[in-house]
Amino acid sequence: MAGARYSTSDVYGADLMTWLMDGHRPQTVTAVTQQLKPEIYSRVDDEATIILTYPRAQAIVQASWNWPFGRKDMEVYGSTGYAITVQGMTFGCAAAEMDSHEEQLVAKPLPPTLRQ
């Protein structure tokens, strides 16, 4: 795995990266936070960029309450291709070959026993 980028309104990206890395903890965690809307979020930071590093991967998590619409997308890039989600259920993927075309797929819902 080469890397991943998450844009989410909360920090589910760190959970997803832990899952992608088979439960391994990152070697380093670096974060920059800001309070961009103190009139709305007076007691918390409302914007964060978090970088997680692993021996052979890196994740960038962008957590924000400032976007004008909800985002639940994720991009994963590897040595042989990529997968990009769009609003959680639809994703595109392609192989690394130059003539490879992106394929659009829709994720199947989880079985009831795996839902919380």
Side-chain angles (χ1 to χ4, degrees):
M1 174 175 297
R5 183 189 69 78
Y6 305 95
S7 295
T8 178
S9 59
D10 34 48
V11 193
Y12 292 125
D15 292 336
L16 288 168
M17 193 62 183
T18 300
W19 179 78
L20 287 170
M21 299 305 295
D22 291 326
H24 290 87
R25 292 178 180 224
Q27 291 178 315
T28 65
V29 176
T30 304
V32 176
T33 62
Q34 290 179 280
Q35 186 184 54
L36 299 178
K37 294 182 179 176
E39 67 282 359
I40 298 172
Y41 307 108
S42 63
R43 299 176 57 173
V44 297
D45 292 325
D46 52 16
E47 185 81 14
T49 301
I50 306 158
I51 302 171
L52 310 170
T53 61
Y54 299 85
R56 296 181 43 90
Q58 180 184 89
I60 301 169
V61 179
Q62 295 175 297
S64 178
W65 291 338
N66 291 310
W67 293 321
F69 52 88
R71 292 187 62 179
K72 298 290 182 194
D73 55 314
M74 177 174 79
E75 300 174 15
V76 178
Y77 298 92
S79 57
T80 60
Y82 67 85
I84 299 174
T85 65
V86 180
Q87 293 302 327
M89 296 300 290
T90 305
F91 63 98
C93 59
E97 293 87 33
M98 291 296 287
D99 62 347
S100 178
H101 298 285
E102 183 173 288
E103 183 178 352
Q104 295 292 316
L105 304 166
V106 177
K108 295 178 182 176
L110 288 172
T113 56
L114 295 177
R115 296 181 202 161
Q116 290 183 335

